[in-house]
């Protein structure tokens, strides 16, 4: 499947790191508690497993390993995407994680970790979609509707790379969560959802052949954890990310969540 190859190529390029990081000693945070907030709406990065009801995913496993290596305890909390960056900026939480794209405008409010994953955006549609086949033909399909969360990378990609640059374009239907955009797509209320390759694969795998991905990649995104400005956690977490890249831990997580894990099974 092309999207799977794209994911693996992007991830493999990102996780390569000098072997010297293997021997580097990591900071010891003395067992303190660190509050980490997420949305639980972004499989396979973080979501509620439909069978067990537990919070699981790539980011949970990565954060738990970071906590283990840096000797801190994680307290997980949840909030909505539209509140997360401001809440972390206001120091309500120590770290935020939900596949957050590293962007210059967001850096004005929060500090980012080094990238832990690279992804590209794709068009998620219903499996029987034949009226358009890529971004160009969707842009020309005047009746087509796109579902998006306001303020997200998919929203801006839809506005400026597919449509006419008007953020008030009535062809964009806004939803509070990414999961809600996918439900609207399945119900026929919108015709396409833009999302990075990570989430696209998760939803296609879980869709029982009712969804598919069309067209080529629409852009490259680097994901990072976010922190309040000036947080003393940034440097230790960056050191841990480098160690996880160097010793193959991130490769193992990529295999577990992007190849081996099957949503809903």
């Amino acid at each position: 499947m092309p999207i799977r190859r794209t994911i693996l190529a992007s991830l493999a390029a990102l996780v390569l790191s000098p072997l010297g990081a293997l021997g580097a000693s990591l900071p010891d945070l003395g067992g303190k508690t660190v509050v980490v907030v997420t949305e639980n709406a972004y499989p396979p990065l973080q979501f509620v497993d439909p069978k067990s009801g537990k919070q699981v995913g790539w980011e949970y496993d990565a954060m738990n390993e970071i906590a283990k290596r840096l000797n801190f305890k994680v307290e997980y909390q949840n909030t909505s995407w539209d509140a997360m960056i401001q809440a972390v900026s206001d120091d309500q939480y120590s770290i935020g994680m939900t596949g957050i794209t590293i962007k210059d405008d967001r850096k004005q409010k929060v500090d980012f970790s080094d990238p832990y994953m690279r992804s590209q955006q794709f068009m998620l549609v219903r499996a029987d979609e034949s009226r358009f086949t890529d971004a160009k033909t969707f842009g020309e399909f005047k009746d087509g509707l796109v579902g998006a969360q306001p303020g997200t990378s998919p929203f801006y990609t839809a506005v400026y790379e597919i449509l006419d640059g008007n953020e008030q374009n009535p062809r964009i239907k806004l939803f509070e969560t990414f999961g809600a955009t996918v439900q609207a797509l399945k119900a026929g209320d919108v015709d396409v959802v833009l999302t990075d390759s990570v989430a696209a694969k998760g939803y296609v795998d879980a869709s029982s052949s009712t969804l598919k991905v069309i067209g080529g990649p629409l852009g490259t995104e680097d994901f990072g954890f976010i922190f309040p400005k000036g947080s003393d956690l940034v440097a230790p977490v960056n050191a841990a990310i480098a160690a996880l890249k160097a010793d193959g831990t991130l490769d193992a997580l990529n295999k577990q969540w992007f190849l081996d894990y099957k949503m809903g099974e």
Side-chain angles (χ1 to χ4, degrees):
M1 188 174 181
I3 188 171
R4 177 170 291 182
R5 290 197 297 270
T6 301
I7 294 170
L8 293 178
S10 297
L11 295 177
L14 190 61
V15 299
L16 293 177
S17 181
L19 292 178
L22 282 168
S25 59
L26 294 176
D28 187 330
L29 300 188
K32 72 176 184 178
T33 297
V34 174
V35 180
V36 178
V37 67
T38 188
E39 188 184 16
N40 277 344
Y42 206 161
L45 290 185
Q46 24 69 27
F47 60 103
V48 176
D49 183 82
K51 294 183 67 176
S52 68
K54 296 180 179 179
Q55 300 178 134
V56 297
W58 191 103
E59 285 183 328
Y60 278 110
D61 285 356
M63 184 57 65
N64 290 338
E65 185 64 23
I66 289 170
K68 177 182 176 181
R69 298 193 186 198
L70 296 178
N71 187 25
F72 67 81
K73 298 176 182 178
V74 184
E75 177 185 327
Y76 289 111
Q77 296 190 18
N78 302 117
T79 193
S80 63
W81 160 251
D82 59 359
M84 184 175 295
I85 292 178
Q86 187 61 53
V88 172
S89 176
D90 292 341
D91 211 13
Q92 295 179 33
Y93 309 102
S94 302
I95 302 176
M97 65 177 201
T98 184
I100 304 172
T101 303
I102 299 173
K103 296 170 66 75
D104 287 341
D105 60 333
R106 292 172 180 168
K107 290 179 180 178
Q108 297 176 18
K109 287 191 171 185
V110 293
D111 285 340
F112 277 91
S113 70
D114 293 336
Y116 59 81
M117 185 178 294
R118 178 165 292 164
S119 188
Q120 294 175 305
Q121 291 185 54
F122 287 84
M123 300 176 69
L124 186 66
V125 299
R126 292 181 293 277
D128 60 355
E129 183 58 70
S130 60
R131 298 167 298 174
F132 52 89
T133 58
D134 56 17
K136 182 177 185 298
T137 52
F138 177 79
E140 296 169 348
F141 177 54
K142 300 304 182 183
D143 293 330
L145 300 178
V146 55
Q149 291 173 273
T152 62
S153 295
F155 171 81
Y156 292 116
T157 298
V159 170
Y160 294 104
E161 295 188 28
I162 297 179
L163 300 177
D164 59 1
N166 175 14
E167 295 185 13
Q168 307 303 316
N169 192 312
R171 292 182 60 185
I172 301 178
K173 301 301 180 183
L174 300 179
F175 298 86
E176 291 186 2
T177 68
F178 177 70
T181 69
V182 177
Q183 291 304 314
L185 175 64
K186 291 179 177 179
D189 296 329
V190 298
D191 301 297
V192 65
V193 170
L194 296 181
T195 182
D196 65 86
S197 52
V198 174
K201 181 191 179 304
Y203 276 97
V204 169
D205 285 352
S207 73
S208 300
S209 301
T210 61
L211 298 176
K212 66 180 180 181
V213 172
I214 62 171
L218 296 173
T220 299
E221 298 179 315
D222 286 337
F223 293 163
F225 302 118
I226 61 172
F227 308 79
K229 295 291 287 185
S231 170
D232 58 6
L233 290 173
V234 177
V237 169
N238 282 343
I241 290 173
L244 295 180
K245 291 177 182 178
D247 68 12
T249 300
L250 294 192
D251 284 330
L253 290 181
N254 294 338
K255 180 179 183 299
Q256 175 185 347
W257 289 106
F258 300 122
L259 289 179
D260 297 341
Y261 184 81
K262 305 299 181 185
M263 288 285 293
E265 294 184 5

